Amino acid sequence: MKFYNEALVTKALFSSLVLLQGALVADGHYGFPTVVVNGIESEWWEYVRDVGYGPYTGQFFPIYDWHEEGQVCGYNGTKTGHGTKTLKVEAGTNIKFVAYSSTYQSGDIAPHPYYNDSDGINHNGPGQAYMSLAPGALEDYDGSGDWFKIGSYGSTDGQYWDTDHDRSGMNFTIPKTTPPGKYLLRVEHFNISPYLNGTQQFINCAHVEVGGPGGGTPGPTTKFPGAYDIRDSAIWLPTAMWAPYKPTPLLKAYKGPGPEVWKG
Ligand SMILES: *[C@@H]1O[C@H](CO)[C@@H](O)[C@H](O)[C@H]1NC(C)=O
Ligand SMILES: *[C@@H]1O[C@H](CO)[C@@H](O)[C@H](O)[C@H]1NC(C)=O
Ligand SMILES: *[C@@H]1O[C@H](CO)[C@@H](O)[C@H](O)[C@H]1NC(C)=O
Ligand SMILES: *[C@@H]1O[C@H](CO)[C@@H](O)[C@H](O)[C@H]1NC(C)=O
Ligand SMILES: [Cu+2]
């Protein structure tokens, strides 16, 4: 079975719930190597920082630790800025991160067109996006500064996660009054677990140069790694079951971890 490669999960979570969850999804892991703006999709790793393998063998393997460097921009993502172009966008622009999947294969995932049958956000859970202004050259920026949140996907209907309805990715609008400058734009999606420290994190960062009038003061801010308390129920959902989720009031009230969304 596929899960046997998800060592850290199966280690602690060898249960029928995990097996049931696996039966609901096509493939295990995913990343966000491209962005779409105004209907045009980038190349893989054109505006998104390329990522490595961390302690695992493959590029889309999840991050399990809530305090490691990979939590900033994915494995090696604090260091791969020099291979990444910067996308120019006006404040107010909508940017979609497209989710591509891998099985549990090792190595780099070969760039390919979006396959509706196998690509997409292949696990169930919430997602968010953050931005952080580069203090100097964006290519050199390691993401150690302040991050503000620009969007959050939870469960609008209290039954399913919003990303269960459209697995092709997540889109976010850069707030209209965002101060002009060069930013890391960070996306995260969780394969949320009912077990403490069992959640998988899928994280990538794009390079964007924001134009426009500015005028806003982004906040509140947080830092990565380490933005989330491991006991925050928003990252392990202790009492929820798998889809359709119960109890639904809990899921409907779900609020992503970290600071409030800054609306600009
Ligand atoms: C990631 O970074 C480490 C340490 O700098 C390096 O050894 C490794 O080759 C890099 N690449 C991948 C694919 O992990
Ligand atoms: C959570 O899991 C990660 C990965 O197995 C481990 O490195 C970390 O120490 C764990 N944290 C806690 C608080 O158990
Ligand atoms: C893509 O796949 C999803 C899930 O299997 C399906 O609901 C949807 O209709 C498909 N869309 C297209 C354009 O084939
Ligand atoms: C953003 O995603 C939502 C939810 O999937 C979708 O309804 C909306 O059409 C998307 N907007 C854009 C501009 O892609
Ligand atoms: Cu997975």
Side-chain angles (χ1 to χ4, degrees):
M1 291 278 304
K2 302 168 169 180
F3 312 101
Y4 291 174
N5 286 339
E6 299 212 48
L8 290 165
V9 178
T10 43
K11 174 187 72 182
L13 316 179
F14 191 67
S15 78
S16 56
L17 277 183
V18 172
L19 297 176
L20 171 62
Q21 179 202 23
L24 296 170
V25 300
D27 278 308
H29 303 319
Y30 43 99
F32 302 90
T34 75
V35 288
V36 177
V37 173
N38 296 324
I40 297 171
E41 185 172 6
S42 72
E43 299 295 321
W44 280 48
W45 314 119
E46 184 179 8
Y47 300 114
V48 176
R49 287 189 177 185
D50 205 351
V51 291
Y53 315 146
Y56 310 104
T57 57
Q59 202 171 27
F60 286 171
F61 271 64
I63 288 145
Y64 293 93
D65 200 300
W66 300 87
H67 294 278
E68 69 171 57
E69 190 189 359
Q71 213 211 11
V72 183
C73 285
Y75 292 121
N76 283 17
T78 57
K79 304 182 280 243
T80 55
H82 279 273
T84 313
K85 292 201 274 183
T86 300
L87 179 66
K88 287 194 176 187
V89 289
E90 287 299 296
T93 300
N94 183 277
I95 299 187
K96 176 176 180 176
F97 282 93
V98 183
Y100 287 84
S101 303
S102 68
T103 53
Y104 299 96
Q105 76 206 60
S106 59
D108 285 352
I109 307 306
H112 58 266
Y114 189 85
Y115 298 134
N116 188 56
D117 287 348
S118 55
D119 283 316
I121 295 174
N122 278 327
H123 286 315
N124 309 320
Q128 310 197 95
Y130 291 83
M131 291 174 71
S132 181
L133 182 66
L138 180 55
E139 291 78 5
D140 293 327
Y141 182 39
D142 63 3
S144 57
D146 292 331
W147 293 84
F148 57 95
K149 191 189 287 182
I150 64 163
S152 194
Y153 278 69
S155 171
T156 307
D157 60 14
Q159 275 249 268
Y160 296 94
W161 294 101
D162 292 341
T163 53
D164 295 349
H165 299 298
D166 175 6
R167 295 188 176 274
S168 67
M170 291 181 285
N171 65 69
F172 302 93
T173 299
I174 298 191
K176 279 225 165 73
T177 63
T178 302
K182 293 185 178 178
Y183 291 83
L184 284 175
L185 170 58
R186 176 186 178 280
V187 65
E188 67 182 18
H189 191 269
F190 298 159
N191 174 20
I192 202 159
S193 166
Y195 304 98
L196 182 63
N197 206 20
T199 292
Q200 302 179 333
Q201 306 166 70
F202 299 92
I203 295 165
N204 292 100
C205 287
H207 283 191
V208 296
E209 180 171 2
V210 178
T217 307
T221 62
T222 188
K223 301 264 195 192
F224 290 102
Y228 308 142
D229 180 340
I230 198 164
R231 297 204 160 265
D232 185 339
S233 61
I235 65 174
W236 61 294
L237 219 60
T239 54
M241 301 293 287
W242 305 114
Y245 297 89
K246 292 191 173 59
T248 55
L250 177 90
L251 197 67
K252 203 167 166 61
Y254 176 85
K255 196 170 154 295
E260 296 293 323
V261 171
W262 183 65
K263 298 206 163 73

